[in-house]
Amino acid sequence: MSSLLNQRDVEAAQQLRSVTRQSESIESNLITNERVIARVTDGIYRQAGSAIRELIANAYDADATWVSIKTDAPKFSRITVEDNGVGMSPDAVVHLLHNIGGSAKRTEQGQELGITSTGDPTISPKGRKLIGKLGIGIFSVSQLTHSFQIITKTQGDNFRTIVLVNLQQFADEPSNGDETEFKAGRYKVWREPTNDTDAHGTTIVLNSIRPQTRDSLRSEQLWSAIDNPLSEESAAKSLSSVPLYHIGRLDASDLHVEDRGRTQSLPWDEEDNPAEAFSKMVDSVWSYVQGRTSVKLADIFDTYLQMVWNLALALPLPYVEKNVLDETVADDWAYIYKISNATKGSAELVRSDNPLETLRELGGFSGMKHEASDFFVNIDGLSLRRPIKFRNLPLTQHVLKKPMIFLGSMREDFKGFPREVSAGPLEFEAYLFWTPKIAPTEHQGALIRIHGASGTLFDSTFLNYQVAELTRLRQITCEIFVKRGLEGALNIDRESFNTSHPHTVLLTRWLHSALRQLATAQKRQAQELREVVRYSATRSTEDRIRQIVAAANALRTDSEGVIPNVTIIRPGDKAPPLGKEISQQFRLQRLMDEIPGNNTPPSDGSLLKLKAITQVLAVYGVLDQLSPKEQDNLLGSILGVLEAESRG
């Protein structure tokens, strides 16, 4: 097979193999495929954590089983990202440096460079579905710094490759209007011998962190407002906004500032292992939510800890406890529904006689996992896992005491449409999790994962759902696991979607239908429970009242007397026939005529109490001494008092 690699790249790779000392290092220009892609060097991400996320995604695509991120927080003068992936050969390094934005992933070039499977260019060498695509991940670090180092090695190679990179901003490059290449910066690359031939992986060393990035990770704006308040009022307000947990802060001399003998406030203990520490971080959110209507991450964590949380949420990692789809139906802990894909369809309540059946099986989903069980990320002593909990959530005053889970899936092949129109098949599985209180509030919304990873996090608008269901939308967490398609709809930052893309349009339509079905089912379930609660409360009240009447009868007649059956006949009703038991009948209209200025029908509760009072009066013989008119007058007055109390 003829080589698909650029001849210039081949020659450069051959030259690199002969360079074994830094003094002989090759120096040249960084080159992009197209001028517009060079804008990546200006930083295309909104947050510093997004750039770190892209580096971790690169490690995942390189079949790493672990990634270790280390910072010198809260200084943030240096960040290293190390993995044990396959590493990069000299050919792959040269291709990377000469083709910013020209990713070899999902291409035959990727197979030749050893960065994808030899049998399928859409998967990693060991079979993972690739989550990176655009070839800009390594240069996402421009969000953090313009100076960094790459140290990489493949298994079996006696040398490791070292690259020093200095990026320049797009605005720094003069334009003549006709250039097809853009010099994104300078690099220096060489190879060094190593004794560990079997070692493999890549380390990215970020030096000279940008001041604005450093200040952001330090929560500099928050601490400055506290240290330099404009007024007493703003000082009090700033102090009240200090997050519960933080990594500490530095003074003007970069020394740690102590507060009550401590330099930081963390939800875990120093002796906790990385998994325990992160679990305590997640638990701290649910502990904080007790007694509060809502909790934001910013209320609990500083900027750095929020970044850690969002990284854990975005990556193809195991859940902190368990994926809800792997939960079983045992204990009847949730209402489980299946979403209909029919036009104007309704969600169907589903049950199982097998307590060990999982929600994945109940929903008819594939056995495909939506997280990697062989991929772990550690950042500064925290072992990250998806911080979403489904069990043992705080109780609320809502009538529904169990969560509701809606399971749905879709596959659309777009048969009859050209691929350039449909962008190919789309397939996904999803759950919508309803509970009265979602914590933190940043988890309210829909999170879309492509091959287990997400750059969008939770979209609180549910892809611009326009129906006025604001309260209910704040009670829903949704994850959509895309198995095939949608990648073409991702924008260059992988943090948003092209809303006009056919896959986005179809997924949006499905999600909005699912939300409508959820709302209908939730209203119906809540109404049924309210009726049960009301009926139970009425029965409970009736029982207590019946006991009071029985006690009056026992006291008055030594239980020898017969409690009369009192009937109050409503307007329009026929009088029931008198049975063998002692009965007393009163017409409601006549009783109401005795209540001055009130023609409103009395409540069922007032009538229930009136019947009991009438029985007590009968047991004591009071009614026997009154004429029918006087009885109506007495009972009408009592009814008026009861109504005045209930409506007051």
Side-chain angles (χ1 to χ4, degrees):
M1 183 179 72
S2 61
S3 176
L4 296 171
L5 303 179
N6 182 289
Q7 185 60 34
R8 180 181 57 184
D9 294 353
V10 172
E11 293 173 358
Q14 290 175 346
Q15 182 184 3
L16 173 56
R17 283 188 168 86
S18 65
V19 177
T20 58
R21 290 191 297 272
Q22 183 174 359
S23 60
E24 301 173 353
S25 61
I26 302 167
E27 291 193 45
S28 187
N29 296 318
L30 295 173
I31 300 171
T32 64
N33 295 80
E34 297 179 14
R35 184 175 181 80
V36 67
I37 204 68
R39 289 187 180 275
V40 70
T41 62
D42 285 346
I44 62 171
Y45 298 102
R46 299 180 182 89
Q47 304 292 337
S50 301
I52 295 176
R53 181 196 70 221
E54 293 305 301
L55 295 179
I56 298 172
N58 276 358
Y60 178 83
D61 286 347
D63 285 325
T65 59
W66 58 261
V67 180
S68 175
I69 301 106
K70 294 180 181 178
T71 76
D72 57 347
K75 290 185 178 180
F76 296 108
S77 60
R78 178 186 175 97
I79 300 173
T80 63
V81 181
E82 181 183 4
D83 69 65
N84 69 337
V86 296
M88 290 184 285
S89 66
D91 301 276
V93 169
V94 169
H95 185 275
L96 170 72
L97 297 174
H98 288 181
N99 295 273
I100 303 173
S103 175
K105 294 178 182 179
R106 296 173 175 80
T107 68
E108 292 183 25
Q109 275 189 328
Q111 294 174 300
E112 192 172 345
L113 291 168
I115 61 177
T116 63
S117 168
T118 55
D120 183 351
T122 67
I123 61 177
S124 71
K126 293 185 178 179
R128 285 177 178 167
K129 277 288 187 181
L130 301 178
I131 58 177
K133 180 179 180 182
L134 297 174
I136 59 174
I138 195 68
F139 287 91
S140 65
V141 299
S142 61
Q143 184 74 27
L144 307 173
T145 179
H146 280 152
S147 172
F148 63 96
Q149 184 178 24
I150 304 171
I151 305 169
T152 187
K153 181 185 176 300
T154 57
Q155 189 173 25
D157 193 346
N158 293 322
F159 292 84
R160 61 179 182 174
T161 301
I162 302 171
V163 188
L164 297 180
V165 179
N166 286 286
L167 299 173
Q168 70 181 39
Q169 290 187 281
F170 179 76
D172 296 337
E173 174 70 5
S175 172
N176 58 19
D178 296 325
E179 292 184 57
T180 58
E181 291 187 345
F182 167 72
K183 295 171 185 172
R186 297 281 297 176
Y187 71 82
K188 181 183 291 188
V189 58
W190 69 93
R191 304 244 291 159
E192 290 182 350
T194 175
N195 295 326
D196 193 350
T197 304
D198 291 332
H200 53 88
T202 299
T203 300
I204 311 295
V205 182
L206 311 176
N207 299 303
S208 304
I209 304 299
R210 284 185 173 194
Q212 60 267 38
T213 300
R214 191 170 60 244
D215 289 347
S216 173
L217 291 173
R218 288 178 173 182
S219 303
E220 190 67 30
Q221 188 173 4
L222 171 66
W223 296 119
S224 294
I226 294 171
D227 293 336
N228 304 290
L230 298 177
S231 63
E232 292 185 7
E233 182 180 352
S234 63
K237 185 176 180 180
S238 297
L239 286 172
S240 67
S241 64
V242 174
L244 183 64
Y245 299 111
H246 56 81
I247 56 171
R249 58 192 178 113
L250 305 173
D251 60 18
S253 302
D254 269 1
L255 298 176
H256 290 268
V257 176
E258 285 194 7
D259 179 19
R260 301 173 187 175
R262 297 186 305 173
T263 58
Q264 34 181 217
S265 172
L266 301 172
W268 61 87
D269 300 316
E270 189 174 341
E271 61 271 16
D272 290 333
N273 65 47
E276 290 173 337
F278 188 74
S279 291
K280 287 186 176 181
M281 181 177 176
V282 176
D283 290 340
S284 70
V285 172
W286 286 104
S287 298
Y288 192 76
V289 79
Q290 302 284 0
R292 293 176 172 84
T293 56
S294 64
V295 173
K296 297 179 180 178
L297 287 178
D299 298 333
I300 313 173
F301 302 134
D302 65 5
T303 303
Y304 168 78
L305 293 176
Q306 290 178 60
M307 180 192 74
V308 170
W309 185 283
N310 288 332
L311 282 174
L313 200 59
L315 299 169
L317 297 169
Y319 287 77
V320 69
E321 290 181 348
K322 186 185 289 186
N323 185 339
V324 68
L325 299 180
D326 294 322
E327 292 281 4
T328 67
V329 297
D331 307 327
D332 190 29
W333 66 283
Y335 300 101
I336 313 298
Y337 285 81
K338 186 71 179 293
I339 294 170
S340 171
N341 287 342
T343 304
K344 298 184 179 179
S346 299
E348 177 186 1
L349 183 64
V350 291
R351 295 182 174 87
S352 174
D353 295 328
N354 178 8
L356 298 180
E357 187 169 14
T358 65
L359 271 61
R360 187 187 305 276
E361 295 167 335
L362 201 61
F365 292 174
S366 68
M368 177 181 176
K369 288 284 187 179
H370 303 298
E371 65 272 10
S373 58
D374 61 345
F375 184 63
F376 301 94
V377 176
N378 187 300
I379 178 168
D380 290 337
L382 289 172
S383 181
L384 305 189
R385 286 167 291 165
R386 290 179 182 169
I388 309 176
K389 297 183 68 172
F390 306 98
R391 292 266 203 163
N392 304 315
L393 305 181
L395 294 176
T396 69
Q397 297 300 313
H398 200 282
V399 66
L400 291 174
K401 302 304 180 185
K402 297 189 299 185
M404 302 180 76
I405 303 170
F406 294 77
L407 308 172
S409 61
M410 171 170 277
R411 178 186 172 93
E412 176 58 62
D413 292 322
F414 294 99
K415 291 181 178 179
F417 291 91
R419 188 178 183 89
E420 57 269 21
V421 174
S422 69
L426 173 66
E427 185 177 4
F428 60 85
E429 299 170 344
Y431 74 83
L432 287 83
F433 184 87
W434 177 93
T435 190
K437 184 180 292 186
I438 299 294
T441 58
E442 287 84 355
H443 288 199
Q444 298 167 2
L447 187 152
I448 301 172
R449 300 188 184 277
I450 301 177
H451 307 317
S454 172
T456 61
L457 299 183
F458 284 101
D459 175 8
S460 61
T461 72
F462 290 90
L463 302 181
N464 296 313
Y465 188 54
Q466 298 298 321
V467 178
E469 293 277 0
L470 295 182
T471 298
R472 190 168 287 103
L473 293 182
R474 288 193 289 266
Q475 299 169 334
I476 300 172
T477 284
C478 167
E479 285 188 274
I480 299 173
F481 306 100
V482 179
K483 301 162 63 177
R484 189 177 183 187
L486 199 66
E487 291 172 286
L490 275 171
N491 290 325
I492 191 171
D493 60 0
R494 298 207 312 126
E495 296 184 344
S496 57
F497 292 98
N498 176 356
T499 57
S500 62
H501 192 281
H503 289 182
T504 309
V505 172
L506 182 61
L507 189 147
T508 299
R509 187 182 305 130
W510 181 91
L511 176 60
H512 293 178
S513 173
L515 289 169
R516 176 187 57 78
Q517 294 179 50
L518 181 152
T520 301
Q522 194 269 345
K523 289 175 185 176
R524 182 171 60 247
Q525 188 70 61
Q527 181 61 31
E528 290 176 359
L529 278 180
R530 288 190 188 96
E531 291 176 359
V532 170
V533 169
R534 279 196 293 267
Y535 176 75
S536 176
T538 300
R539 290 296 301 271
S540 177
T541 301
E542 289 177 351
D543 289 343
R544 290 198 301 272
I545 289 176
R546 194 175 296 112
Q547 292 173 5
I548 293 170
V549 174
N553 181 53
L555 183 64
R556 173 63 177 172
T557 69
D558 211 14
S559 298
E560 293 295 326
V562 178
I563 300 174
N565 180 26
V566 175
T567 301
I568 298 178
I569 305 169
R570 296 176 181 273
D573 292 345
K574 292 182 179 180
L578 292 175
K580 293 182 180 179
E581 73 279 5
I582 298 177
S583 298
Q584 289 187 267
Q585 297 178 355
F586 301 92
R587 291 196 173 274
L588 179 58
Q589 189 59 54
R590 289 209 302 263
L591 301 182
M592 292 177 60
D593 290 341
E594 302 299 328
I595 305 174
N598 183 15
N599 294 318
T600 305
S603 66
D604 292 340
S606 294
L607 290 179
L608 179 65
K609 294 176 183 177
L610 180 64
K611 290 180 183 180
I613 292 171
T614 303
Q615 289 173 319
V616 172
L617 293 175
V619 165
Y620 276 85
V622 174
L623 297 182
D624 294 339
Q625 303 175 31
L626 302 176
S627 66
K629 177 64 176 175
E630 289 173 326
Q631 290 179 6
D632 290 344
N633 181 269
L634 174 62
L635 298 181
S637 298
I638 294 173
L639 180 60
V641 171
L642 294 174
E643 278 293 281
E645 178 189 23
S646 65
R647 301 188 184 200

